[in-house]
Amino acid sequence: MTLVKICGLTHPDDVVAARDAGAERLGFVVGYPQPVPWNLDIPRARELMALGGAAERVAVVGGDAESIIRIVSETGVGLVQLHADEPPAVVEAVAATGVHVLKALSAEAGKAAGAAEDWVALARRFVDAGVAEILLDSRSADRPAGTGQVFNWGIARAVVDAVDVPVILAGGLDPANVADAIAAVRPTGVDVISGVSGVEDRKDPALIRAFVAAVRGAR
């Protein structure tokens, strides 16, 4: 079964909607080092995480190892997603604490992604540094995620086939295209922000349900 992560949760109703729709993972952006519309401080993140039921909580972070380790400790998450330009040394330091580290690798939206072998080599460097999972996403000049732009599925499939850790696909996924993405890439999981968002970066419960249903129906 393909895992579903609903990310960028900022409101109790959105957490409950994602939980009740059956998402296996809930993503909370915590203490992110640049302005993004989903950013939470640690107390607010803990309040929202408490509503997640059986779903796995993911702290989506960025920056230096010390800041990331503090967020992990104070939120109590077992899975942390490094979603900035952290080098392998930061991965090593965070992974050494025993937390499950997911490293995002992002392509700039609207530009050629480059050669698949370069992405494979990059992913392998982070695997060697201790990541438990790789996430592939699209970014823009003003947003590190949630761009609505699709990551190159051919490159994503090459990474899936080349590394021995789970690969999560993000970048421009929505209820209309996620089944095709799963068929093309065969990721361990899929991650969505903008594809299930409504007004003011809040989540739309109907879109969340449609997204989860599309993933469940994918072949």
Side-chain angles (χ1 to χ4, degrees), residues 134-159:
I134 293 289
L135 182 140
L136 301 172
D137 199 2
S138 298
R139 69 176 189 273
S140 66
D142 59 342
R143 282 197 172 189
T147 65
Q149 301 297 308
V150 174
F151 187 91
N152 184 301
W153 292 350
I155 289 174
R157 179 59 183 268
V159 174

Side-chain angles (χ1 to χ4, degrees), residues 95-155:
T97 69
V99 70
H100 192 95
V101 178
L102 189 161
K103 180 69 180 83
L105 307 179
S106 300
E108 188 165 352
K111 294 187 177 181
E117 55 264 33
D118 293 336
W119 285 89
V120 168
L122 179 63
R124 284 175 170 161
R125 285 201 294 274
F126 282 102
V127 171
D128 291 344
V131 299
E133 301 180 24
I134 293 289
L135 182 140
L136 301 172
D137 199 2
S138 298
R139 69 176 189 273
S140 66
D142 59 342
R143 282 197 172 189
T147 65
Q149 301 297 308
V150 174
F151 187 91
N152 184 301
W153 292 350
I155 289 174

Side-chain angles (χ1 to χ4, degrees), residues 21-219:
E24 286 80 20
R25 291 178 173 177
L26 308 178
F28 304 88
V29 181
V30 189
Y32 201 77
Q34 73 182 74
V36 292
W38 324 282
N39 213 357
L40 306 167
D41 60 26
I42 290 173
R44 181 59 170 169
R46 291 181 64 172
E47 290 175 7
L48 295 176
M49 288 177 181
L51 303 174
E56 186 172 25
R57 286 75 157 163
V58 183
V60 181
V61 301
D64 61 88
E66 182 179 357
S67 298
I68 293 168
I69 291 169
R70 179 178 60 84
I71 290 170
V72 169
S73 175
E74 294 187 19
T75 57
V77 294
L79 175 56
V80 62
Q81 179 175 320
L82 278 55
H83 208 103
D85 295 324
E86 300 86 6
V90 170
V91 169
E92 292 175 355
V94 176
T97 69
V99 70
H100 192 95
V101 178
L102 189 161
K103 180 69 180 83
L105 307 179
S106 300
E108 188 165 352
K111 294 187 177 181
E117 55 264 33
D118 293 336
W119 285 89
V120 168
L122 179 63
R124 284 175 170 161
R125 285 201 294 274
F126 282 102
V127 171
D128 291 344
V131 299
E133 301 180 24
I134 293 289
L135 182 140
L136 301 172
D137 199 2
S138 298
R139 69 176 189 273
S140 66
D142 59 342
R143 282 197 172 189
T147 65
Q149 301 297 308
V150 174
F151 187 91
N152 184 301
W153 292 350
I155 289 174
R157 179 59 183 268
V159 174
V160 167
D161 289 343
V163 301
D164 58 0
V165 300
V167 175
I168 309 300
L169 180 65
L173 300 178
D174 59 36
N177 69 9
V178 69
D180 289 338
I182 291 169
V185 178
R186 299 187 182 179
T188 298
V190 289
D191 189 322
V192 63
I193 294 184
S194 62
V196 294
S197 292
V199 297
E200 297 181 351
D201 290 295
R202 286 283 308 279
K203 299 296 179 280
D204 183 318
L207 289 176
I208 290 175
R209 292 192 295 271
F211 187 87
V212 174
V215 174
R216 299 292 179 253
R219 296 291 183 268

